[in-house]
Amino acid sequence: MSAPDVFAPARLGPVELRNRVIKAATFEGRTPDALVTDELIEYHRRPARGGVGMTTLAYCAVSPEGRTDRHQIWMRPEAVPGLRRFTDAIHAEGAAACAQIGHAGPVANAASNRLPALSPTRRFSPLGMRPTRAPTPADLDRVIEAHAAAARTALESGFDAVEIHFGHNYLVSAFLSPRLNHRTDAYGGSLANRARLALAIARAVRDAVGDRLAITAKLNMDDGVPGGFWLNESIQVAQWLEADGTVDALELTAGSSLLNPMYLFTGDAPVRDFAAAFPQPARLGLRLGGRFFLREYPFREAYLLDRARQFRAALDLPLILLGGITTVETMNLAMAEGFAFVAMARALLREPDLVHRMRADAGARSLCVHCNRCMPTIYRGTRCVLTHPIAIG
């Protein structure tokens, strides 16, 4: 059987996308009041106009304390009118709209949110410069229901899909990690216990929206830190999600926003740019010690593919390949190896019309140089500094 055409229409659960290219979730830095802005809409309208099958709004927290800072959208009735304007704009460009929903857990900035950050077990957070709080079972029940409510809000707002954030040591990912989860109750210890929250959230979201939305989950294949979540356990969790029938696809990712963020991105580590984005004394601290936190990993094309192949061999569930996809050749390889979709982020930041260009010329490749200087711009409006040196919006 021949591999599917990456530029042909494809189904994701109940939704038909015009092609198999998804704009991955990357925080936009364009929601100063935790609500949709015109600048946010335009940020996503560009890749939608440029040919992607679906664009993913990031990051929509399920509760106020689940934000990485207080400027992020959290899913509530006040957000619906703006979210509806967002989905109408994306649909007008012929693309589908996905909302990434989740709880930041230990990656949340408690000082900014003015609410305690949650972590499986109590730990000091350098993000908020204060300890996190270990949630009680009642707290976790509230978080589970908050995910269901966020999915209902997404449905009301006209989204075609939701992506549940199970990666990067956000709350669910932190529960999956044996390094971060030292609980002794029903949510700690064995993998079945550590996965309990992920499976319950996926079930709650499915029960909340049924087949009216496509549901995907962004799942860490590994955390990239000693003692963290690793492939063998992640494959088992993926198999449980498949058996439960709660998700329509998995987007496979890696790394820890808390402990090793560059493990996901690979390429240059822009320590000086990150330092410049912070006031003193954090600026000096990053300049002196940033290399210990922002470790450098050489960029290579499709750098998550070797790990993702192991999931493809173990699952029938549709999979979305992420990580260093910059050529049509790589997209075709992903299709040939059984991946249902590909997801792109930095390449579309540099060239929002890249999909149209690739469709017209199979030899086209992304102009992204993987300098990662886009990463520190999330505090002022995410952009490619090579094409937009002055912040937009």
Side-chain angles (χ1 to χ4, degrees):
M1 181 182 295
S2 61
D5 179 358
V6 72
F7 298 116
R11 292 203 69 81
L12 174 60
V15 179
E16 181 162 298
L17 307 184
R18 64 184 174 188
N19 59 50
R20 295 174 182 268
V21 183
I22 296 171
K23 187 205 170 297
T26 50
F27 182 56
E28 304 91 350
R30 285 170 167 79
T31 54
D33 298 314
L35 295 168
V36 170
T37 61
D38 290 342
E39 291 80 11
L40 178 70
I41 292 172
E42 184 58 26
Y43 176 95
H44 282 272
R45 196 200 304 265
R46 288 194 291 269
R49 187 184 300 129
V52 298
M54 183 167 72
T55 187
T56 310
L57 175 62
Y59 156 80
C60 301
V62 300
S63 59
E65 86 283 352
R67 296 172 288 177
T68 62
D69 76 73
R70 69 179 180 274
H71 302 297
Q72 288 180 326
I73 293 172
W74 65 280
M75 300 296 262
R76 63 202 192 279
E78 293 84 355
V80 170
L83 292 170
R84 171 59 75 173
R85 285 198 304 118
F86 177 94
T87 57
D88 286 347
I90 301 307
H91 292 153
E93 300 294 347
C98 176
Q100 183 190 63
I101 62 173
H103 192 294
V107 182
N109 186 327
S112 176
N113 290 334
R114 303 184 182 100
L115 292 164
L118 302 182
S119 185
T121 39
R122 183 180 169 92
R123 59 178 286 123
F124 179 77
S125 169
L127 301 171
M129 296 303 291
R130 62 193 66 185
T132 62
R133 184 171 69 81
T136 65
D139 290 326
L140 295 176
D141 287 343
R142 174 180 60 82
V143 168
I144 293 165
E145 173 50 35
H147 279 80
R152 288 191 289 267
T153 298
L155 180 64
E156 180 185 355
S157 302
F159 283 91
D160 305 283
V162 291
E163 175 186 276
I164 317 171
H165 202 324
F166 289 170
H168 307 163
N169 285 167
Y170 281 41
L171 186 65
V172 171
S173 175
F175 266 81
L176 290 169
S177 168
R179 174 163 173 165
L180 297 175
N181 184 348
H182 302 146
R183 295 173 73 102
T184 58
D185 65 359
Y187 289 93
S190 68
L191 178 60
N193 282 357
R194 286 184 278 119
R196 190 180 304 275
L197 182 61
L199 300 179
I201 286 172
R203 171 48 59 196
V205 168
R206 176 60 76 190
D207 288 347
V209 300
D211 292 328
R212 293 172 291 175
L213 288 179
I215 300 172
T216 70
K218 182 170 239 175
L219 179 68
N220 257 22
M221 294 184 288
D222 69 285
D223 294 345
V225 295
F229 194 52
W230 191 246
L231 274 77
N232 59 330
E233 290 193 327
S234 183
I235 289 171
Q236 178 63 77
V237 172
Q239 290 173 327
W240 286 335
L241 287 166
E242 179 177 63
D244 285 352
T246 49
V247 298
D248 296 303
L250 290 176
E251 183 175 290
L252 301 171
T253 188
S256 168
S257 298
L258 188 67
L259 302 171
N260 192 5
M262 293 305 301
Y263 191 73
L264 164 62
F265 293 96
T266 76
D268 299 343
V271 173
R272 292 183 66 85
D273 292 62
F274 263 112
F278 287 87
Q280 297 289 11
R283 179 178 300 178
L284 178 61
L286 277 167
R287 284 188 172 177
L288 294 176
R291 291 288 175 192
F292 294 100
F293 178 61
L294 297 170
R295 304 167 198 153
E296 241 175 50
Y297 296 89
F299 176 85
R300 60 183 174 85
E301 185 79 9
Y303 53 83
L304 294 180
L305 178 57
D306 288 346
R307 278 164 279 178
R309 284 181 174 125
Q310 299 178 56
F311 287 75
R312 182 65 291 157
L315 300 162
D316 294 322
L317 191 66
L319 299 179
I320 304 166
L321 182 66
L322 173 72
I325 296 167
T326 66
T327 68
V328 178
E329 181 182 9
T330 300
M331 293 177 172
N332 289 337
L333 174 63
M335 298 297 104
E337 296 210 13
F339 293 91
F341 300 90
V342 294
M344 307 173 77
R346 288 168 292 179
L348 293 171
L349 196 59
R350 177 73 189 264
E351 297 176 275
D353 63 346
L354 179 60
V355 175
H356 277 331
R357 191 162 70 83
M358 286 179 157
R359 187 166 190 167
D361 176 9
R365 63 179 304 125
S366 166
L367 298 178
C368 179
V369 297
H370 317 109
C371 66
N372 292 319
R373 293 181 61 201
C374 54
M375 292 172 63
T377 69
I378 64 173
Y379 307 105
R380 305 183 304 277
T382 306
R383 67 196 188 280
C384 173
V385 302
L386 302 182
T387 56
H388 294 92
I390 299 172
I392 300 170

